[in-house]
Amino acid sequence: MSVGPAIHQRQLATAIWLRTGLSDVQQDIPRRYLLAACERVLELKRGVVEQVRIISRRLTPEKAKQLDLLLTQDRSTQLLMDKTLGASNVVNSNNIEPLIEEMKRSLTESVEADAASSISTAQREAAAKVRKANNAAAMLNRKISPWSNHSLKQKRMMQG
């Protein structure tokens, strides 16, 4: 089956959004239409998911379980909709395994990016706390320092 040139509705909605925005000025494209197009793009097509579940019965139990878990993740289901263009007849036994692998890869990248962001945030917060503690210690040392010099002078005077 050959598929002609296509554009994702998501890309079209994004292009429309960028071109027209949502200002109060009268637009050629009604706001309702733009929001409805964006909502349709994000909508999960049940027929595609059902077709995937039917075909998954032929997979190994481990692959089928992985697929069920992937279908619970928004990122994976969005990729499924992108790859199939929302058409259930695109999914078949020949392309289900590569599709699963692509869904896993996409989800893994998303999780890794989130983890890297969390780690970066934690490192920045830890560095800020260390700087704050070092500044507090330096201030304390400055306050104690004159007293310790005074104490040393008194000891020397007493000994001498």
Side-chain angles (χ1 to χ4, degrees), residues 17-94:
W17 186 283
L18 292 173
R19 184 162 193 236
T20 63
L22 281 178
S23 67
D24 291 335
V25 178
Q26 180 63 26
Q27 300 294 327
D28 294 334
I29 299 171
R31 184 180 296 194
R32 280 188 314 274
Y33 176 78
L34 185 58
L35 292 174
C38 292
E39 185 178 347
R40 278 194 304 275
V41 167
L42 297 174
E43 185 178 284
L44 184 62
K45 306 287 189 277
R46 295 190 194 282
V48 175
V49 175
E50 288 305 313
Q51 180 68 16
V52 167
R53 287 208 165 112
I54 290 168
I55 293 173
S56 73
R57 293 178 191 149
R58 299 180 200 140
L59 298 172
T60 64
E62 182 181 330
K63 285 275 187 188
K65 186 175 181 179
Q66 287 176 359
L67 181 59
D68 281 341
L69 290 173
L70 287 168
L71 290 174
T72 65
Q73 302 298 313
D74 289 339
R75 180 70 189 116
S76 295
T77 55
Q78 192 61 54
L79 183 109
L80 176 64
M81 293 299 113
D82 288 350
K83 293 293 183 181
T84 62
L85 300 176
S88 60
N89 62 345
V90 173
V91 182
N92 59 46
S93 57
N94 295 326

Side-chain angles (χ1 to χ4, degrees), residues 58-146:
R58 299 180 200 140
L59 298 172
T60 64
E62 182 181 330
K63 285 275 187 188
K65 186 175 181 179
Q66 287 176 359
L67 181 59
D68 281 341
L69 290 173
L70 287 168
L71 290 174
T72 65
Q73 302 298 313
D74 289 339
R75 180 70 189 116
S76 295
T77 55
Q78 192 61 54
L79 183 109
L80 176 64
M81 293 299 113
D82 288 350
K83 293 293 183 181
T84 62
L85 300 176
S88 60
N89 62 345
V90 173
V91 182
N92 59 46
S93 57
N94 295 326
N95 65 9
I96 189 71
E97 291 206 29
L99 189 58
I100 292 170
E101 291 305 314
E102 183 71 18
M103 290 167 68
K104 284 193 311 190
R105 185 195 57 73
S106 176
L107 184 60
T108 301
E109 287 174 359
S110 177
V111 168
E112 286 173 351
D114 289 348
S117 176
S118 295
I119 289 169
S120 178
T121 299
Q123 287 174 334
R124 281 193 308 275
E125 290 172 357
K129 286 179 182 180
V130 167
R131 276 193 304 277
K132 187 176 178 181
N134 286 340
N135 289 341
M139 284 181 87
L140 186 60
N141 283 338
R142 279 187 230 123
K143 287 181 180 178
I144 294 174
S145 184

